[in-house]
Amino acid sequence: MATITIEVDEDTERRLSELSSGAGISIQELTYQALLSYIEDMEDFRHAESGIRDNLPTIPLEEVVRRVGLED
């Protein structure tokens, strides 16, 4: 596994510390999870953007919710 070092301001460090303590995980694990989540979101965004650019058909959110059974 590679190591990445970032610098953050004091407020961000404090917030990370509070969140990691509350979640019972290390700052490193919290940061790793946040980075993975961001990468996945960006990949999803680029995939959707590509579909729009290629003029692929879209499905309204309500239809997706109905199809996967997430209705209340």
Side-chain angles (χ1 to χ4, degrees):
M1 186 176 287
T3 299
I4 299 173
T5 303
I6 62 168
E7 291 185 25
V8 296
D9 57 55
E10 290 179 12
D11 184 56
T12 302
E13 182 180 20
R14 178 191 55 75
R15 293 167 65 195
L16 278 170
S17 181
E18 289 174 1
L19 283 171
S20 69
S21 293
I25 59 175
S26 68
I27 291 175
Q28 290 80 6
E29 181 62 25
L30 177 65
T31 305
Y32 178 72
Q33 290 176 11
L35 180 58
L36 282 180
S37 179
Y38 178 79
I39 290 169
E40 290 168 359
D41 287 349
M42 290 304 296
E43 289 171 341
D44 290 346
F45 175 79
R46 288 192 176 179
H47 181 72
E49 190 177 49
S50 174
I52 292 169
R53 186 175 46 253
D54 296 341
N55 203 28
L56 296 176
T58 59
I59 303 171
L61 177 60
E62 294 80 11
E63 177 67 13
V64 173
V65 168
R66 187 187 64 72
R67 287 185 187 184
V68 298
L70 296 176
E71 300 170 300
D72 287 335

